[in-house]
Amino acid sequence: MSQFLKPENALKRAEELINVGQKQDALQTLHDLITSKRYRAWQKTLEKIMLKYIDLCVEMRKGRYAKDGLIQYRIICQQVNVGSLEEVIKHFIHLSTEKAEHARSQAEELEAALDVDDLEADKKPEDLMLSYVSGEKGKERSDRELVTPWFKFLWETYRTVLEILRNNSKLEALYAMTAHRAFQFCKQYKRTTEFRRLCEIIRNHLANLNKYRDQRDRPDLSAPESLQLYLDTRFEQLKIATELGLWQEAFRSVEDIHGLMCLVKKTPKASLLVVYYAKLTEIFWISSSHLYHAYAWFRLFVLQKSFNKNLSQKDLQLIASSVVLAALSVPPHDHTHGASHLELEHEKERNLRMANLIGFNLETKPESREVLSRSSLLAELVSKGVMSYVTQEVKDIYHLLEHEFLPSDLALKVQPLFTKISKLGGKLSTASSVPEVQLSQYVPVLEKLATLRLLQQVSNVYQTMKIETLSGMIPFFDFSVVEKISVDAVKQKFVSMKVDHVKNVVIFCKVSLESDGLRDHLANFAEQLNKARQMIYPPERKPSKLGALLPSLTDVVAKEHKRLLARKSIIEKRKEEQERQLLEKEREEESKRLKLQKITEEAEQRRLAAEFEQRKNQRILREIEERQLEETQALLQEAEKRIKKKGKKPIIEGDKMSKQTLMELALTEQVRERQEMEKKLQKLAKTMDYLERAKREEAAPIIDAAYQQRLVEERILHEHEQQKEVELSQQRHEGDLLEKERLVRMIGNKEIYQERVVSHRQAEFNRLRREREERISRILQSRRQEREKMRKLKFYLKLEEERQEKLRAEEEARKLEEAERRKKEEAERLAKLAEIAEKQRQREQELEEKERKRREELLGRTTEAALKTSEPLARPPDSVSAAPAAAAAAAAPTAGKYVPKFRRERTEGTGAAAPPPETDRWTKPDSGDRWRSGDDRRPSAFGSGSRASSTWSSSRNR
């Protein structure tokens, strides 16, 4: 990297390198100078260097170098001379645009030059071979080689300039101008991709501008001039987006404009609002958002009526007719009917968003905004008097579609009106901000609306109707289209109908009993029934408060206890909060003390710095005074020397004179010497003038004679050269004639060869065309077969799915029927078991009662007492069977219920008598004990094991 003492040296070096063809080295030299930290002070030379640098960058298409240089130059002249940066950037844009236009004009001239009849006359064989191999036209190749690189560089230029000026408040106008030129570039050359990127770049610049508010040179959007520039840029962006057909980008531009308005909370000018709403109508119409399209037209009509006083009555009538037709074009049924909760929330959010865009409503409370709907819009149009401006045809259409009930001839009456309004419209006058209004665009939507109204009215009158009759009542569409419209209406629950193609009829029916008319009657009927029930069964009197409070007294005490505990915890929390506040207060006081101490220390440091600065200034002043004294002494000595040389008497006393006096004397002396020198020069000039005049008078005749002699010599030379040229021309003509006679013999062979080449190429072309047609036919045939195969496969899959679904439904019905049958059998079995158990229990009770009576008769009361006293000595055989009987009697209340095993074992262990000794097992038991020992471990199906054994023992004993 070479270092230069002055910037001018670098500029001279760069020009020298350019003259010898080393442009890259010249560019690198200027780039090193601009990016060097040595030259940070702006001067006029730097602007010249920057202009030369930009010229080199554009000529060599070095966009990266240009961006680096402009960034460094912005740092240099941002605070000193920002106008210089503006001039450099304008030069950069102008030069890039000029190069791109020049390249495009060269490409067009090249294409015009190539458009000749005989291609073989001007093209070389290599060029012809290249054109056959590449298959590329001349214009495409020239565009790729000449135009595309310069267009890329121009696009990069716009991006670079926008990036450099994005946060510069002093060059907002240049930023807006660059954005407008970039928009025009995208519009002129149909660059949709670059337009989307440009919109995103500008949107990001604004977002960063709002995000980082602490930048030094940040533009102030609250200023009216800045806001107007940004709004003009967005409106230009909106216009170009609609002209290029980028409706998504146009909608985002509308949101950008609305965001700017929300940012400063200021309504823009009426002229801009008219453009805003006009573009909104186009965007909403393209997106099939007819409701928002109608609202935008209504806002546009209000603006035109209020602010445009020069608008003619005819133009106002056309705009009002567009408003009413747009409102009628809104579908009459609610699209959110039957939607999910998520879809409803999304639709609500979309409505609020569109309401903000259409009405510029900046309030944040959702309840303050009105709901957008077709009915509310039509009511507002009537209340605002818009109907008084529309044409008679539009009024008739409105009354027929909204207020008349004509189920048989509604479509026939509105059809001629549709024909009339389709011819209305056209370009408006220059006073209108809307260029053109076409009412014919609403006719297809209105025909669909008339069809819906006819279906709705017919469904209220008829139950069935033939398809031919209904199709004859609707002359707009075929019945297939009417069927599609009716499917959508039935889906939205606007009309209830069915189409039976087998019987060739249309059936109108109600989908539910709870219609709008019946719902109110049922509610009134329920209220009357409630009143009658209260009269028949009056409410009971309230019990006493004491009786109501006594059962809840325990709850009241528990609640009071909980309340006291909660109060105690609250008191503890308040104490902790108070302590925390005290600690916080102490901490704040400590921080204040430290801050005050820091402020005191800073003040002390500032005082010391001020004293040091004062001492430094005093020292500098003393040095200045000493330097002035030394300069005064030097001037005094020089003046004395000059006076002594001239032989004059010195009249200067150095000790008593100041520097100012010496300087005045020196200036006086210089003026006097200059005057003397001028007199001498005037005298010398006069002498030289006389001398020069004498010389020229003497030289004039000599020069005239030499001139005459030169004329004679040149005339002789010219005649000699002309004679020589005539002789050479004659010789060349004779040689050309001989060559022509020699080449005439080849003309026949040349024509034969040419005809052979042309026929060969024609045959080759025909062969290639036949092959291409055959290949295309094969591809079409294969695709047709593939579509047929896919159609059959889909049909087969659909049939298979229906069959599987039918089998699945039959299987589920069979399983359900089997489960019902099993439940029924199980219930019957349980009922039989319960009946058997009940009979068994009754039989056991009867047997026990008989056994008890028999024992009382045989033994009596006294014998029973004696047996009880002698029981420890010897247990009679009957006592063994008495314990099971008692256990059975105790278990009798639970007869017929399932008893778990552990309960049966516990009942046997507590209620039954102790088992006999081990030796009794080997004795010969009686029949009752044998049955009991065999059945004692196995519980009965209707009771415990002991109960069953006692029953069977009693029956055996009997």
Side-chain angles (χ1 to χ4, degrees), residues 639-650:
E640 288 178 355
K641 290 179 181 178
R642 190 167 56 251
I643 292 173
K644 285 180 181 180
K645 286 181 180 180
K646 294 181 180 180
K648 295 183 180 180
K649 183 179 179 180

Side-chain angles (χ1 to χ4, degrees), residues 842-896:
Q842 291 177 1
R843 190 181 299 111
E844 287 177 357
Q845 287 180 358
E846 292 175 357
L847 292 175
E848 288 176 358
E849 186 66 25
K850 291 179 181 180
E851 180 66 21
R852 185 178 61 78
K853 290 180 180 181
R854 187 181 65 80
R855 286 183 180 180
E856 287 179 356
E857 291 175 358
L858 293 176
L859 299 177
R861 300 287 184 177
T862 56
T863 309
E864 186 178 358
L867 288 173
K868 288 182 180 179
T869 56
S870 60
E871 187 177 358
L873 298 176
R875 182 182 299 268
D878 294 336
S879 63
V880 179
S881 63
T894 61

Side-chain angles (χ1 to χ4, degrees), residues 120-137:
E120 295 183 0
D122 295 331
K123 281 194 174 183
K124 299 179 181 179
E126 294 84 0
D127 298 335
L128 290 173
M129 187 177 295
L130 178 61
S131 64
Y132 286 135
V133 172
S134 62
E136 188 178 39
K137 295 182 180 180

Side-chain angles (χ1 to χ4, degrees), residues 656-691:
K656 297 180 181 180
M657 300 186 69
S658 64
K659 180 183 177 182
Q660 186 67 25
T661 307
L662 289 173
M663 291 179 67
E664 291 177 358
L665 290 173
L667 288 174
T668 305
E669 185 68 22
Q670 288 178 2
V671 170
R672 187 178 58 79
E673 291 178 355
R674 190 181 298 112
Q675 290 176 355
E676 292 178 357
M677 183 61 67
E678 288 177 356
K679 290 180 181 179
K680 290 180 180 180
L681 289 175
Q682 288 177 0
K683 186 177 180 181
L684 182 62
K686 190 174 181 180
T687 305
M688 294 295 294
D689 189 13
Y690 288 151
L691 183 62

Side-chain angles (χ1 to χ4, degrees), residues 349-386:
E349 181 183 357
R350 184 169 180 265
N351 283 335
L352 295 178
R353 185 179 173 190
M354 295 302 173
N356 284 336
L357 290 179
I358 294 171
F360 271 101
N361 193 350
L362 305 180
E363 299 179 7
T364 57
K365 296 181 180 180
E367 60 270 10
S368 63
R369 301 185 179 94
E370 61 182 35
V371 178
L372 302 181
S373 64
R374 183 179 187 272
S375 57
S376 62
L377 177 59
L378 290 174
E380 192 172 1
L381 293 181
V382 175
S383 62
K384 293 294 179 62
V386 181

Side-chain angles (χ1 to χ4, degrees), residues 737-754:
L737 290 176
L738 294 175
E739 186 69 18
K740 179 181 179 182
E741 291 177 358
R742 188 179 66 86
L743 295 177
V744 162
R745 296 173 299 172
M746 302 181 191
I747 292 177
N749 297 330
K750 175 253 182 186
E751 292 178 352
I752 294 171
Y753 177 74
Q754 182 178 357

Side-chain angles (χ1 to χ4, degrees), residues 69-326:
L70 287 173
I71 290 173
Q72 295 298 326
Y73 192 65
R74 181 187 61 183
I75 296 172
I76 293 172
C77 63
Q78 176 66 35
Q79 304 299 329
V80 182
N81 187 6
V82 74
S84 177
L85 177 62
E86 183 177 1
E87 292 298 326
V88 171
I89 290 177
K90 285 183 179 178
H91 179 69
F92 183 33
I93 297 175
H94 173 71
L95 204 59
S96 301
T97 307
E98 187 178 353
K99 289 289 185 180
E101 291 293 333
H102 181 65
R104 188 169 66 87
S105 62
Q106 279 186 345
E108 291 177 355
E109 292 175 359
L110 182 61
E111 179 63 22
L114 291 176
D115 190 12
V116 295
D117 296 333
D118 191 1
L119 293 177
E120 295 183 0
D122 295 331
K123 281 194 174 183
K124 299 179 181 179
E126 294 84 0
D127 298 335
L128 290 173
M129 187 177 295
L130 178 61
S131 64
Y132 286 135
V133 172
S134 62
E136 188 178 39
K137 295 182 180 180
K139 186 177 187 308
E140 296 176 356
R141 190 183 301 114
S142 62
D143 287 346
R144 191 184 71 244
E145 294 175 356
L146 298 176
V147 181
T148 304
W150 282 111
F151 275 13
K152 286 183 179 179
F153 182 76
L154 181 58
W155 169 246
E156 189 177 355
T157 299
Y158 288 136
R159 291 193 59 175
T160 300
V161 173
L162 290 175
E163 186 68 24
I164 290 173
L165 301 177
R166 62 189 177 92
N167 289 330
N168 201 323
S169 59
K170 299 178 181 178
L171 296 177
E172 291 176 340
L174 183 58
Y175 179 86
M177 185 267 289
T178 306
H180 282 246
R181 295 189 66 170
F183 289 145
Q184 293 299 325
F185 167 78
C186 297
K187 173 188 173 182
Q188 183 179 1
Y189 301 109
K190 309 297 182 187
R191 307 305 302 175
T192 56
T193 306
E194 284 76 11
F195 180 77
R196 292 192 187 94
R197 291 175 183 168
L198 179 61
C199 295
E200 192 65 29
I201 288 169
I202 296 177
R203 194 173 293 114
N204 291 335
H205 288 175
L206 183 61
N208 293 331
L209 198 65
N210 295 326
K211 185 177 180 181
Y212 305 106
R213 297 178 178 270
D214 54 347
Q215 296 177 353
R216 183 174 59 181
D217 298 323
R218 172 184 174 273
D220 187 11
L221 292 180
S222 60
E225 296 81 6
S226 301
L227 179 62
Q228 189 63 34
L229 287 173
Y230 276 88
L231 277 176
D232 291 342
T233 303
R234 265 59 185 185
F235 274 105
E236 183 67 20
Q237 174 182 335
L238 178 59
K239 290 180 182 178
I240 301 301
T242 54
E243 291 177 3
L244 291 177
L246 302 175
W247 302 108
Q248 186 69 25
E249 201 60 44
F251 183 76
R252 297 185 68 184
S253 303
V254 168
E255 288 187 328
D256 293 341
I257 296 172
H258 180 257
L260 279 174
M261 294 303 101
C262 292
L263 190 64
V264 297
K265 296 185 184 297
K266 183 180 178 182
T267 305
K269 297 179 182 178
S271 59
L272 293 180
L273 280 180
V274 168
V275 177
Y276 175 84
Y277 286 122
K279 297 302 179 182
L280 267 184
T281 56
E282 297 180 19
I283 294 170
F284 288 142
W285 183 257
I286 292 297
S287 62
S288 299
S289 300
H290 299 98
L291 178 61
Y292 308 120
H293 169 77
Y295 268 98
W297 261 118
F298 178 59
R299 300 295 184 191
L300 183 59
F301 171 76
V302 172
L303 275 174
Q304 290 283 72
K305 181 183 175 185
S306 302
F307 296 100
N308 196 348
K309 303 300 181 183
N310 299 325
L311 195 65
S312 63
Q313 189 66 25
K314 182 180 178 182
D315 295 344
L316 193 62
Q317 189 180 40
L318 280 177
I319 296 175
S321 301
S322 297
V323 174
V324 176
L325 292 179

